[in-house]
């Protein structure tokens, strides 16, 4: 039903220049209002006074997000996680390299120290024979042999640590840690037993040393003879507990010439007034007590070096395991 020309309308359309009647296509107000709605009141769905209804389809499409955005966000998340893991692996690699070279330098010094100890032991064995062999029960327990054995072990352990560090080998690192831990525990056990059984050790040591006096000057015991001569001369003492200990050895009133106040040939046959009176065992014991601070510092430094070696080995082992796990 057509509207009458006489009907009053609220809206009037302005004529164009050619006075032609231009009609808007279907949905024009809807399209233009969507284009300029932000400027001319889109909330009221109006455009220059014309009210439009977008319809259910347009309303549904207005609140529907494109599916492609989900994939973009997913890819961005993956990229961010990848960058985090890459940074994490880079930091772990740098930390591993730092520990690697620190442990290599540490074990290189350790190995060089072992070489020095071994060299001193060999020099003593060649030039001085079985130097400082005092015990008759353990004739092989000489200073030269102890230095040779200690230097050899230190060299082996240092070599294993160096190769394990530079090659980042888990087996060698773990072997180095176990060997060093066993040595450290053995040393700790010996120290504890020494302080617990001090009295018994003193009695046994004096008895064994007196027994060793009977080997003084005999064939095949040049090391024991040299050791007693050096100790009695340097510490100005005679015998284990007294100069009379030598009377049982010679079955007469006689002492070695190293006990004399003024050294001369066969001076040990002279009167006791020309001999040292101090017992060697107590004299050496007092000397050790006076130098207990130096002995303690040496022991603490040795323990500290071993603890550092254990720490470096286990830290590097854990870093290698993490690097293999996260950055494989």
């Amino acid at each position: 039903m057509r509207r009458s020309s006489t009907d009053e309308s609220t809206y009037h359309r302005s004529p164009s220049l050619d006075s032609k009647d231009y009609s808007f296509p279907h949905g024009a107000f809807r399209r233009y209002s969507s284009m300029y709605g932000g400027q001319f009141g889109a909330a009221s769905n109006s455009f220059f006074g014309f009210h439009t209804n977008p319809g259910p389809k347009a309303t549904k499409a207005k609140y529907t997000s494109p599916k492609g955005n989900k994939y973009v966000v997913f890819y961005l998340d993956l990229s961010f996680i990848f960058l985090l893991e890459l940074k994490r692996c880079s930091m772990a690699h740098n930390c591993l390299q730092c520990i690697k070279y620190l442990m290599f330098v540490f074990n290189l010094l350790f190995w060089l120290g072992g070489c020095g100890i071994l060299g001193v032991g060999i020099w003593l064995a060649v030039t001085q024979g079985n130097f400082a062999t005092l015990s008759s029960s353990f004739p092989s327990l000489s200073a030269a042999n102890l230095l040779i054995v200690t230097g050899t072990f230190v060299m082996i352990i240092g070599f294993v640590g160096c190769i394990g560090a530079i090659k980042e080998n888990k087996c060698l690192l773990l072997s180095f840690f176990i060997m060093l831990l066993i040595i450290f525990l053995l040393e700790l056990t010996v120290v504890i037993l020494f302080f617990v059984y001090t009295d018994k050790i003193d009695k046994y040591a004096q008895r064994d040393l007196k027994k060793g006096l009977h080997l003084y000057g005999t064939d095949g015991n040049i090391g024991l003879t040299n050791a007693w001569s050096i100790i009695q001369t340097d510490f100005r003492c005679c015998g284990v507990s007294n100069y009379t200990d030598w009377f049982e050895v010679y079955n007469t009133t006689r002492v070695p010439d190293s006990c004399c106040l003024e050294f001369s040939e066969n001076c040990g046959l002279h009167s006791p007034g020309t001999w040292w009176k101090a017992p060697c065992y107590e004299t050496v014991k007092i000397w050790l007590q006076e130098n207990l601070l130096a002995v303690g510092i040496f022991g603490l430094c040795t323990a500290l070096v071993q603890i550092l070696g254990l720490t470096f080995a286990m830290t590097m082992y854990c870093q290698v395991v993490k690097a293999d796990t996260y950055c494989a």
Side-chain angles (χ1 to χ4, degrees), residues 219-266:
D219 295 336
N221 293 288
I222 185 174
L224 187 143
T225 303
N226 291 336
W228 271 114
S229 297
I230 292 173
I231 289 174
Q232 292 182 140
T233 302
D234 292 346
F235 287 93
R236 299 180 178 182
C237 59
C238 190
V240 177
S241 57
N242 202 341
Y243 64 88
T244 56
D245 295 335
W246 291 107
F247 296 170
E248 299 178 4
V249 176
Y250 292 107
N251 294 322
T252 184
T253 307
R254 181 185 177 182
V255 296
D257 295 339
S258 57
C259 287
C260 298
L261 297 175
E262 296 291 336
F263 179 80
S264 62
E265 191 70 24
N266 296 322

Side-chain angles (χ1 to χ4, degrees), residues 117-325:
I117 295 173
L118 180 62
V120 173
I122 294 174
W123 175 77
L124 285 177
V126 171
T127 60
Q128 302 295 327
N130 294 325
F131 178 75
T133 302
L134 297 174
S135 174
S136 60
S137 302
F138 305 98
S140 298
L141 193 62
S142 63
N145 292 339
L146 285 176
L147 291 175
I148 290 173
V149 172
T150 303
T152 302
F153 271 107
V154 171
M155 284 183 60
I156 293 174
I157 294 174
F159 179 77
V160 172
C162 283
I163 300 300
I166 204 67
K167 295 293 184 181
E168 299 179 11
N169 189 288
K170 293 184 289 185
C171 181
L172 292 177
L173 289 173
L174 192 60
S175 300
F176 172 80
F177 178 83
I178 292 173
M179 288 189 296
L180 197 58
L181 181 62
I182 291 173
I183 293 175
F184 179 76
L185 292 177
L186 287 175
E187 293 173 350
L188 187 62
T189 303
V190 169
V191 172
I192 293 174
L193 292 176
F194 176 80
F195 284 106
V196 171
Y197 299 102
T198 302
D199 296 335
K200 294 183 178 180
I201 292 174
D202 280 344
K203 294 178 180 178
Y204 176 79
Q206 292 186 44
R207 185 171 62 250
D208 189 64
L209 290 173
K210 288 181 180 180
K211 185 179 177 181
L213 292 179
H214 294 274
L215 301 177
Y216 182 86
T218 59
D219 295 336
N221 293 288
I222 185 174
L224 187 143
T225 303
N226 291 336
W228 271 114
S229 297
I230 292 173
I231 289 174
Q232 292 182 140
T233 302
D234 292 346
F235 287 93
R236 299 180 178 182
C237 59
C238 190
V240 177
S241 57
N242 202 341
Y243 64 88
T244 56
D245 295 335
W246 291 107
F247 296 170
E248 299 178 4
V249 176
Y250 292 107
N251 294 322
T252 184
T253 307
R254 181 185 177 182
V255 296
D257 295 339
S258 57
C259 287
C260 298
L261 297 175
E262 296 291 336
F263 179 80
S264 62
E265 191 70 24
N266 296 322
C267 63
L269 296 173
H270 299 166
S271 62
T274 59
W275 306 333
W276 301 112
K277 301 298 190 296
C280 289
Y281 187 83
E282 291 298 329
T283 303
V284 174
K285 189 175 178 180
I286 292 172
W287 179 82
L288 289 174
Q289 290 175 354
E290 291 176 351
N291 295 274
L292 188 61
L293 180 60
V295 176
I297 292 175
F298 176 77
L300 289 177
C301 290
T302 303
L304 181 61
V305 168
Q306 293 175 349
I307 292 173
L308 284 176
L310 292 171
T311 304
F312 280 139
M314 184 51 63
T315 304
M316 187 171 181
Y317 176 80
C318 294
Q319 290 294 329
V320 171
V321 171
K322 287 182 181 180
D324 291 343
T325 303

Side-chain angles (χ1 to χ4, degrees), residues 4-54:
S4 174
S5 60
T6 59
D7 292 341
E8 292 182 0
S9 175
T10 308
Y11 308 104
H12 297 279
R13 185 175 57 188
S14 299
S16 61
L17 293 176
D18 54 1
S19 299
K20 290 184 180 181
D21 188 12
Y22 288 95
S23 61
F24 288 89
H26 180 69
F29 292 121
R30 185 187 306 167
R31 182 172 66 253
Y32 293 151
S33 63
S34 63
M35 292 172 59
Y36 302 98
Q39 183 178 359
F40 298 100
S44 59
N45 294 325
S46 62
F47 177 72
F48 295 107
F50 294 95
H51 297 275
T52 60
N53 187 8

